[in-house]
Amino acid sequence: MASAPLDFYYDFSSPYSYLAAARIAALAEGADVRIAWKPFLLGPIFAAKGHATSPLVSDPDKNVHMWADVTRLAELYHLPPLRRPDPFPVNSLLAARVALHLNDACRPAFTRAVYRAEFAEGRDIADRETIYHLLAGLGHFFEEVIDEAERQENKDRLRAQTEAARAEGVFGAPTFIAADGALFWGNDRLEMALDHARRLARAA
């Protein structure tokens, strides 16, 4: 039986996507699920709904709860102590372009490195130097990768991936979409999404 497919839509400004990205590879391997890592931008989706920023940020009570919740979960998952980016939300455009440009084999490691730099090390992922160092640390020719990631063709690919996410009903991150179109939103739905994908494959 072939591995079950599951799309993983994530935005680099999303702390809950950070938690999911840190957990998904091991869980997916155990469930025999094949993950498609799909970086996208939440900003245009929020804007289309009339939000100037994330609803979790615009509501002070939700914002306070979110950071307390993510801090507790990072500890529960044995991740490094959480460091809140400043400013937040971060400008995730360059990181998303680079992640999308990288091939499927390289994208997960880069994604985890970006999240770790942002939420565990307090580094500015909007800074090209940060992205340079992350790529170099993974063995990539960083200047070439960034130049190619910022070509118009790749910019258009990111817009198209963001629009594809919106068309599939994505409204937040992380979001997991199974082969039958079932949508699971949030880090706390990761296990449920993997189980659903696995059951679909077994029934096929």
Side-chain angles (χ1 to χ4, degrees), residues 30-114:
D32 196 23
V33 173
R34 183 177 69 259
I35 303 299
W37 294 64
K38 295 195 170 187
F40 78 112
L41 300 175
L42 271 172
I45 292 177
F46 287 149
K49 295 179 178 294
H51 301 297
T53 187
S54 166
L56 289 174
V57 174
S58 60
D59 184 320
D61 291 334
K62 286 183 179 180
N63 191 34
V64 169
H65 170 75
M66 175 188 70
W67 287 113
D69 188 46
V70 173
T71 298
R72 287 192 295 262
L73 287 170
E75 182 178 357
L76 178 67
Y77 300 147
H78 304 291
L79 298 176
L82 188 79
R83 295 184 63 173
R84 178 174 175 173
D86 185 22
F88 184 84
V90 302
N91 181 343
S92 61
L93 183 59
L94 177 60
R97 286 173 176 168
V98 171
L100 184 61
H101 170 68
L102 293 172
N103 63 34
D104 293 346
C106 296
R107 190 176 301 120
F110 174 75
T111 295
R112 288 189 292 267
V114 171

Side-chain angles (χ1 to χ4, degrees), residues 91 94 123-133 146:
N91 181 343
L94 177 60
R123 298 164 70 183
D124 180 8
I125 66 166
D127 186 344
R128 293 175 68 91
E129 288 295 325
T130 299
I131 301 300
Y132 287 164
H133 289 302
I146 291 179

